[in-house]
Amino acid sequence: MIDSSVGSAIPLAGDMDNSIQRDNPIQRLPAGSHVALRTWLRLLTCHRLMEGRLRNQLRTGFETTLPRFDLMAQLDRYPEGLKMRDLSRLLMVTGGNITGLTDRLVEEGLIERRDDPTDRRAYYVCLTAKGKALFEQMAVHHEEWVIAMFDCMEEGELAQLSELLGRLKRRLADRIDS
Amino acid sequence: MIDSSVGSAIPLAGDMDNSIQRDNPIQRLPAGSHVALRTWLRLLTCHRLMEGRLRNQLRTGFETTLPRFDLMAQLDRYPEGLKMRDLSRLLMVTGGNITGLTDRLVEEGLIERRDDPTDRRAYYVCLTAKGKALFEQMAVHHEEWVIAMFDCMEEGELAQLSELLGRLKRRLADRIDS
DNA sequence: ACCAAATACTTTATCTATGAAATATTTCTG
DNA sequence: CAGAAATATTTCATAGATAAAGTATTTGGT
């Protein structure tokens, strides 16, 4: 019942001393752990491994971060702009977080705030020309990186995984409870 | 080619105003997006939804957080204690992060540092009696919560998902590249 | 035995993110 | 139409996380 590679410690970060290290510590999983728990731990690990790689690639390739990229990706899909609350919902993070991210991206000249004439509480956030140009560059690489991460899976496996995650996502989101 | 529930905006946080909101914003996915990209986005969303729920449950039930719980979970599996570097590898986070988490848990009296007589640079981190008692309480609920989150999946679906994530995890971790 | 390299951990600056409270505006209800 | 409730956003305090640099100790090669 040992799950020998949870926490198998790929270096997610750069090459500094205290980054996540290479060799595997001995891994113990709770004996008889339920398949649901194992699945959750595996999902967590996959997420960590993949996010870590993408983060490194975005940092070394474009000196940016995943949250910034994700925010820009949403804006790219909505050229008419999105309100803060929409960004908050789409990215599934709190409003305060969006405020900070937006502030930084505005400062970098990649996005801009535009008043909503019909609601003085709100405004639209849009990519600037500079932001759009940069995003399009990044998006190409980002997609390549994601494809490369999954190239360890057979086409059929990937399709099956995608389908199962799609179902899980839909059913989780459709719940009444939080 | 629309993936109608990425970012389907379940409230991950508490019930305050700026938490993630309930209703779906219109969702657009890049046309013709590669199955790998869709899979990655779905994995991201599942992760967010599930992590958000667990966070809420740990907070309201035990006034603690997922990173603290995860650290304690590792220590529970290694009663002889773990070094900082082992925690860093197992949790796949940087050493600096572990330092901070450990400081807080020590302050709460849930874990303790024990000198390693053979290496004066290092020490072992262990659960205290109080920490172990609390963890055992939390673990029961944590497992229930995880099982409940997956109860939207058939047994066969879950087994398949677990298997596919296990393969993905292993293959990602086995790579030479970061 | 020496000294360079590696290792274990901490510190610092910065960013990401939360949860709660505050402000301003709009909408709803009676 | 007035006032209450809801909504959109920001602010604040704090936690979590990274990357990079710093300190102390151990290891390993000559």
Side-chain angles (χ1 to χ4, degrees):
Chain A
M1 211 43 61
I2 294 273
D3 200 349
S4 67
S5 60
V6 165
S8 50
I10 286 295
L12 299 179
D15 48 359
M16 75 294 187
D17 278 8
N18 64 345
S19 72
I20 295 89
Q21 305 298 323
R22 276 142 201 89
D23 36 290
N24 283 347
I26 322 94
Q27 175 66 27
R28 298 179 201 166
L29 254 190
S33 74
H34 194 282
V35 60
L37 195 52
R38 259 208 323 270
T39 309
W40 167 237
L41 294 175
R42 287 174 177 177
L43 192 142
L44 262 181
T45 303
C46 289
H47 176 261
R48 283 248 150 123
L49 290 171
M50 299 182 81
E51 195 184 36
R53 284 188 202 176
L54 283 180
R55 182 178 42 241
N56 282 337
Q57 285 162 318
L58 279 172
R59 178 171 48 83
T60 62
F62 296 97
E63 303 196 68
T64 193
T65 65
L66 208 40
R68 283 155 146 98
F69 177 84
D70 288 342
L71 193 151
M72 293 177 75
Q74 292 302 329
L75 296 183
D76 189 63
R77 289 168 201 170
Y78 296 85
E80 67 277 26
L82 284 167
K83 298 191 180 173
M84 297 298 268
R85 66 185 312 276
D86 297 324
L87 283 168
S88 171
R89 287 167 183 174
L90 288 166
L91 300 175
M92 293 190 283
V93 296
T94 57
N97 187 4
I98 297 293
T99 297
L101 268 174
T102 301
D103 288 348
R104 272 167 243 133
L105 286 168
V106 167
E107 205 167 342
E108 294 175 35
L110 299 173
I111 67 177
E112 62 185 356
R113 290 171 156 113
R114 282 187 203 160
D115 283 342
D116 175 353
T118 75
D119 187 342
R120 289 194 308 180
R121 293 169 303 181
Y123 45 78
Y124 290 96
V125 182
C126 313
L127 285 177
T128 60
K130 178 181 167 191
K132 188 160 178 54
L134 175 61
F135 176 75
E136 275 160 14
Q137 260 202 295
M138 293 194 295
V140 176
H141 291 276
H142 177 267
E143 179 152 7
E144 278 169 10
W145 294 330
V146 172
I147 291 171
M149 284 194 298
F150 278 112
D151 70 7
C152 58
M153 298 292 270
E154 306 290 336
E155 209 175 305
E157 289 177 321
L158 181 56
Q160 222 176 16
L161 178 59
S162 187
E163 173 59 29
L164 287 165
L165 287 172
R167 275 182 227 167
L168 176 59
K169 184 186 72 169
R170 184 160 21 81
R171 293 176 197 170
L172 286 171
D174 284 352
R175 291 200 175 184
I176 308 96
D177 61 284
S178 86
Chain B
M1 211 43 63
I2 295 271
D3 198 350
S4 68
S5 60
V6 165
S8 49
I10 287 296
L12 299 180
D15 49 358
M16 76 291 190
D17 278 10
N18 64 345
S19 73
I20 296 87
Q21 305 298 322
R22 276 142 202 88
D23 36 288
N24 285 345
I26 322 95
Q27 176 66 29
R28 297 179 201 165
L29 253 191
S33 73
H34 193 282
V35 60
L37 194 51
R38 259 207 326 270
T39 310
W40 166 237
L41 294 174
R42 286 174 177 177
L43 192 143
L44 261 182
T45 302
C46 290
H47 176 261
R48 282 248 148 123
L49 290 171
M50 300 182 80
E51 194 183 36
R53 284 190 203 175
L54 283 180
R55 182 178 43 240
N56 282 338
Q57 286 162 318
L58 278 171
R59 177 171 47 84
T60 63
F62 296 96
E63 306 195 66
T64 192
T65 65
L66 207 40
R68 282 156 146 98
F69 177 85
D70 288 342
L71 193 151
M72 292 176 76
Q74 293 302 328
L75 295 183
D76 189 62
R77 289 170 201 169
Y78 296 84
E80 66 277 27
L82 283 167
K83 298 191 180 176
M84 298 296 268
R85 66 185 311 275
D86 297 323
L87 284 168
S88 171
R89 289 168 182 175
L90 287 166
L91 301 174
M92 292 191 285
V93 297
T94 56
N97 186 5
I98 297 293
T99 297
L101 269 173
T102 301
D103 289 348
R104 273 167 243 132
L105 286 168
V106 166
E107 204 168 342
E108 293 176 35
L110 300 173
I111 67 177
E112 60 184 356
R113 291 171 156 113
R114 283 188 202 159
D115 284 342
D116 176 353
T118 75
D119 188 341
R120 289 194 309 180
R121 294 169 304 181
Y123 44 80
Y124 290 96
V125 182
C126 313
L127 286 177
T128 61
K130 178 182 168 191
K132 185 157 179 57
L134 176 61
F135 176 75
E136 274 160 15
Q137 263 203 291
M138 294 195 293
V140 176
H141 291 275
H142 176 266
E143 179 152 7
E144 277 169 10
W145 295 330
V146 172
I147 291 171
M149 284 194 298
F150 279 111
D151 71 6
C152 59
M153 299 292 270
E154 306 290 337
E155 209 174 305
E157 289 176 322
L158 181 56
Q160 220 174 19
L161 179 59
S162 188
E163 172 60 29
L164 288 165
L165 287 172
R167 273 181 227 168
L168 177 59
K169 184 185 74 167
R170 184 159 22 81
R171 293 175 197 171
L172 286 171
D174 283 354
R175 288 197 179 189
I176 308 95
D177 59 284
S178 88

